[in-house]
Amino acid sequence: MKKYERKEVTKNSLMMDKEIQSLRTLISRYTIDGDDSPAFINEMKSRLEIKYENALKDVHTNKIFQLSDGRWKTKNPQMAKRTRLDLLEALYEYYFGRKAHSIAAIFDDWIEEFRRDADQGHRSILTCERYISDWARFYADSILVTKNICEVKVSDIKNHYKSICANGAISRKTLNNAKTILNLVFDYAVDHDYVASNIARSVSTRDLHCKEVNNELKVYSNAERDKIIAQAEIENDVFARAIILMFCSCTRIGEIRALKWEDVDFERHTMYIHREIVRRKDSEGHEIFVCVNHTKSGLKEGNRVQPLSDKAIEVLKAQRRENPFGEYVFLYNDAPLVSNTINHHLKRICERVDIPYMSSHKIRFWSVTNMYANGMQQADIQRMAGHADPATTDHYKRVSRLDDIDTSIWNEMFG
C-alpha cells in the first residue's frame, strides 16, 4: 500500500483510530503531568502497541527487528526509532496519518537519509547543515510545509516563493538555494512513490523581483591581479605561490590544495585537475579534511587538463625546488594547505598593495571573466572551469578538444 493511498474507511477502522488517539492523549497527558504511576502508563503503552499492530497487520508485512544499538527498525518503508512503540507509531502515521504526508515530514525523512549518506562519506555534512539552516530560514514556519504533499499545487509553491522574496528581500542566488531544497524534497517524494511527479521543478520564478546584487564589483580587475602577483612574488612562500597559480589558471581552491606532482606535466605544459580537498565532519562532529578523487561536481565533466602558462610553469618549478619529495604540490608543515590560511595570506597581500580584499573564490571569477573577455568559446570556458552544468557558464556549446585551444592565447591570458 502506497503512502498516499488511504485505507478504506470503515466503522471498525474509525473506532480503532479513535481508540488510538484516546490512548495517545492519555499517555501524553500523564507523561507531561509527571504522574507517579509508571505501571499505569506502561499498561496504556502496551495497549497502544497492540492497537498499532492490529491496524498495521494488513498493510505492513515486513519484519520489525531490534538493532545492536537498541533501536527498532523495519524496511519498506525504511525506518529506525528509539523504541518499538515509536516505530509502530511512525508506521501508523505512514499508512494512515496525514502528518507523514506533509512536506515538513518528508523533509525530515529526506534530510535524515542525507545525513546517513554524509556519515558514510557519500555526501557533505556541511551541505547537510546548510540545507537544515536554509529550511529553518525559508520553510519551517510556513503554511506550505504543513500541507499534504499530494494536495500541493504549483500556485502554492509560487506564492511561497513570492512571499520569501517580497520587496526584494533576498537575492536571486538565495532564492535558487531555497528552491533547491524543495526540489530535492519533491525528488525524494517521487522516488518513494508519495507523488507521481515533481511539480516543484516546474515552478518558474523568472518574473519575481529579487534584491539587486552588483556582481561587477565582486571580481578582481586585471590591474589588481597584477599588483597581487607582484607582491606575492616578493613574499615568495608556499601560500604566495598557490595564490599566483590560482591567478594563472581556472581552478577552485580545493583543487589547488589537492594538486599532486603526478598531475603536473612540465614537458607538455599541462596540469590534470581531477581531485579536491574538502572539509568534512567525522562521526563525533569534529572537522577533518579529506582528499576525494573528483572535483566539486562529482562528475567526470569536472575533470580537465589545463594548459600551463609560462608564469604558472615558473611558479611550479619554484615550488618544486622547495618541495621536491612531497606528494602534494603545496605543503605546509608536511600537510596540504588550509583554505582559510590561503585566504588569510591573500588578505594580507591585498592590504599591502592597498586593494580591497576578496576571497580566493573571486580569483576564479576573474579567470572566467578573463576567458570571456579574450574570446574563448563558452563551451571551452565551461570545460576549463570544470562546470558540469552548462547553465553555470551561461549556456552550453559543443565542447572542443584540448588541442583546439590555442596555447599561445592561453599564455597571453595567464602568462
Side-chain angles (χ1 to χ4, degrees), residues 77-324:
Q78 180 167 291
M79 292 182 180
K81 298 295 181 181
R82 187 175 60 85
T83 68
R84 191 172 188 276
L85 178 60
D86 289 342
L87 180 57
L88 289 170
E89 184 169 80
L91 285 170
Y92 183 83
E93 286 294 340
Y94 179 91
Y95 289 108
F96 304 104
R98 294 186 60 86
K99 177 182 177 183
H101 294 276
S102 72
I103 294 176
I106 295 173
F107 169 81
D108 289 340
D109 292 342
W110 166 71
I111 203 67
E112 181 61 29
E113 181 177 289
F114 195 103
R115 185 182 285 109
R116 287 196 302 269
D117 289 344
D119 290 341
Q120 297 172 7
H122 303 304
R123 304 272 192 161
S124 166
I125 292 179
L126 297 176
T127 300
C128 180
E129 291 179 349
R130 185 170 67 250
Y131 284 153
I132 293 171
S133 175
D134 284 348
W135 173 267
R137 179 182 178 187
F138 298 116
Y139 295 104
D141 297 326
S142 69
I143 295 175
L144 174 68
V145 302
T146 65
K147 291 176 177 281
N148 184 326
I149 195 167
C150 303
E151 299 170 358
V152 173
K153 298 177 290 188
V154 170
S155 59
D156 295 326
I157 300 173
K158 181 67 173 279
N159 288 333
H160 179 73
Y161 291 154
K162 285 181 179 180
S163 68
I164 64 175
C165 63
N167 301 314
I170 58 176
S171 67
R172 179 70 57 181
K173 179 180 179 181
T174 302
L175 174 59
N176 288 337
N177 289 343
K179 290 174 64 178
T180 294
I181 295 175
L182 202 58
N183 289 343
L184 293 173
V185 169
F186 268 82
D187 283 344
Y188 181 90
V190 171
D191 290 344
H192 290 75
D193 296 324
Y194 303 158
V195 291
S197 61
N198 186 343
I199 64 169
R201 291 193 179 275
S202 67
V203 179
S204 174
T205 55
R206 294 189 185 94
D207 59 323
L208 300 186
H209 174 69
C210 296
K211 181 167 62 177
E212 295 292 335
V213 178
N214 187 356
N215 288 321
E216 292 182 2
L217 300 178
K218 293 187 176 181
V219 61
Y220 286 107
S221 67
N222 290 342
E224 289 170 338
R225 180 247 189 188
D226 292 342
K227 287 183 179 180
I228 290 171
I229 289 179
Q231 180 62 33
E233 289 175 333
I234 294 173
E235 302 200 2
N236 195 31
D237 58 23
V238 62
F239 302 101
R241 288 189 285 271
I243 291 168
I244 294 173
L245 184 59
M246 289 192 71
F247 267 120
C248 293
S249 60
C250 187
T251 50
R252 302 176 177 92
I253 192 168
E255 295 168 347
I256 287 291
R257 295 168 60 207
L259 189 67
K260 298 182 179 182
W261 286 119
E262 64 187 46
D263 303 324
V264 179
D265 190 330
F266 285 107
E267 185 176 338
R268 296 187 61 192
H269 281 215
T270 61
M271 64 179 177
Y272 182 33
I273 307 298
H274 62 113
R275 58 171 69 93
E276 65 174 347
I277 291 179
V278 295
R279 186 173 54 172
R280 294 281 190 261
K281 286 190 175 182
D282 61 22
S283 58
E284 297 180 354
H286 301 133
E287 289 191 353
I288 57 175
F289 295 103
V290 179
C291 182
V292 293
N293 292 318
H294 58 74
T295 59
K296 184 178 180 181
S297 69
L299 304 173
K300 64 180 182 179
E301 289 84 356
N303 300 343
R304 70 264 191 208
V305 176
Q306 280 195 8
L308 290 171
S309 67
D310 292 344
K311 175 68 70 178
I313 289 290
E314 176 186 325
V315 167
L316 285 168
K317 286 184 174 179
Q319 182 59 21
R320 186 65 161 169
R321 290 191 293 271
E322 295 294 324
N323 174 30

Side-chain angles (χ1 to χ4, degrees), residues 37-102:
S37 304
F40 175 60
I41 296 175
N42 289 337
E43 181 185 345
M44 287 194 294
K45 288 182 177 180
S46 296
R47 289 173 57 192
L48 183 57
E49 276 196 28
I50 294 172
K51 294 293 183 183
Y52 282 144
E53 288 169 348
N54 289 335
L56 294 167
K57 63 183 179 181
D58 294 328
V59 294
H60 187 74
T61 57
N62 292 291
K63 292 182 179 179
I64 293 175
F65 54 94
Q66 192 169 23
L67 300 171
S68 59
D69 62 3
R71 292 181 303 155
W72 288 82
K73 183 178 180 179
T74 190
K75 295 181 178 179
N76 296 326
Q78 180 167 291
M79 292 182 180
K81 298 295 181 181
R82 187 175 60 85
T83 68
R84 191 172 188 276
L85 178 60
D86 289 342
L87 180 57
L88 289 170
E89 184 169 80
L91 285 170
Y92 183 83
E93 286 294 340
Y94 179 91
Y95 289 108
F96 304 104
R98 294 186 60 86
K99 177 182 177 183
H101 294 276
S102 72

